[in-house]
Amino acid sequence: MNTPELWQFTSSHFNEKARWALDFKRIPHIRHSLIPGFHIPTVKRMTGKTTVPVLKLNGEAISDSSRIIEALERAYPQPSLYPADPDDRARALKLEDYFDEELGPYIRRWIFHVILPYPEFVRAAFVSHASKSAQLAHRAMAPLFGVIMRRQMNINPASAEVARGKTLAAMDRLATELRPSGYLVGDRFTVADLAAAALLTPLVRPPEFPYKAAVPLPEPFVKIRESLSNHPAFKWTLQTYRQHRGESAEVVAAANFSRSKSNADASRAATTER
């Protein structure tokens, strides 16, 4: 079996959902972090679509975080994210679908409405991993990037207010669905918990989230987070990340490793010659 490869945006919550599943199952995998906008040709060649995450698994390019997790459950059944009990599994998948449809798109629209006026923060969140030339290109295109994002994602004050309401409704639903165990299904961590927690990361921003912006949060965003910090879903997400996010299972691609090793050998040789 070839090493799975994940094409991702570093700060996307749907990408975090797929990434967390790989890490939870301790599946060594290669990550390709793309830049929003510049990602389109690469992704379209693989899937015919423009969305990430995309997982290349056994020669197949799989898009959509839920389909990725389903494929991982088949290929790597342990540790399982799907409950063994049929009723529990149905509940877990129903909740995953609910958060995918009723939380994921809306929290994204709301938070982007808040942060898009702060291009430095957006750049730090989505482009900090890229080369200097790519970062400069993104900086030059920042005004156009904001216009395109607002149009494609229907971001405006009215739609953002609707999105805020949908996000709060999903947070309330999460709080009511929690079992006495602290989990959404049964007495252990499942795909339902992973989906809900991952999709709340744009708002909650847990310390364990693997990619962090190296600039301060915009002040309006800080105030929103403070106003919701005592919500049970907010606190539950922080706790879930502390307990279950774990370490990365990412590995370095062989070509990159060989290139890095050659560079290191050359550097040592140059030092010796001097």
Side-chain angles (χ1 to χ4, degrees), residues 82-90:
Y82 288 179
D85 178 81
D87 290 338
D88 284 349
R89 177 176 296 202

Side-chain angles (χ1 to χ4, degrees), residues 1-4 17-31 57 72-73 75-81 189 194 208 210 243-251:
M1 186 179 292
N2 294 329
T3 303
K17 189 180 157 203
R19 188 166 56 223
W20 192 349
L22 286 159
D23 291 342
F24 176 80
K25 289 176 171 290
R26 307 307 304 154
I27 301 169
H29 62 281
I30 298 163
R31 295 179 188 171
L57 182 65
L72 292 175
E73 281 287 293
Y76 302 89
Q78 296 299 326
S80 177
L81 285 165
F189 183 78
L194 186 151
E208 296 81 8
Q243 292 181 339
H244 296 287
R245 185 57 184 88
E247 297 181 355
S248 172
E250 179 187 12
V251 296

Side-chain angles (χ1 to χ4, degrees), residues 97-229:
D97 184 65
Y98 170 80
F99 291 116
D100 279 353
E101 299 299 325
E102 297 298 323
L103 173 61
Y106 296 103
I107 194 171
R108 177 175 58 200
R109 182 177 297 149
W110 179 30
I111 299 304
F112 265 119
H113 176 71
V114 175
I115 68 173
L116 277 177
Y118 302 88
E120 289 296 331
F121 177 77
V122 175
R123 218 166 11 253
F126 285 93
V127 194
S128 60
H129 64 278
S131 66
K132 291 295 183 184
S133 59
Q135 291 186 44
L136 288 172
H138 190 275
R139 180 189 295 271
M141 294 180 63
L144 180 60
F145 176 78
V147 170
I148 293 172
M149 289 284 288
R150 288 183 175 89
R151 183 173 64 244
Q152 290 185 342
M153 297 171 60
N154 186 31
I155 299 172
N156 57 65
S159 66
E161 182 59 26
V162 171
R164 185 185 75 86
K166 295 282 280 189
T167 299
L168 296 181
M171 292 174 71
D172 291 342
R173 168 80 181 268
L174 191 160
T176 63
E177 293 284 358
L178 286 174
R179 297 311 200 214
S181 63
Y183 296 107
L184 286 165
V185 181
D187 58 2
R188 73 173 186 88
F189 183 78
T190 70
V191 67
D193 304 287
L194 186 151
L199 295 177
L200 277 168
T201 56
L203 171 66
V204 178
R205 305 185 69 81
E208 296 81 8
F209 187 83
Y211 300 98
K212 300 174 181 66
V215 298
L217 299 179
E219 186 61 28
F221 191 15
V222 171
K223 291 179 179 178
I224 289 170
R225 292 184 71 253
E226 288 176 350
S227 71
L228 292 170
S229 61

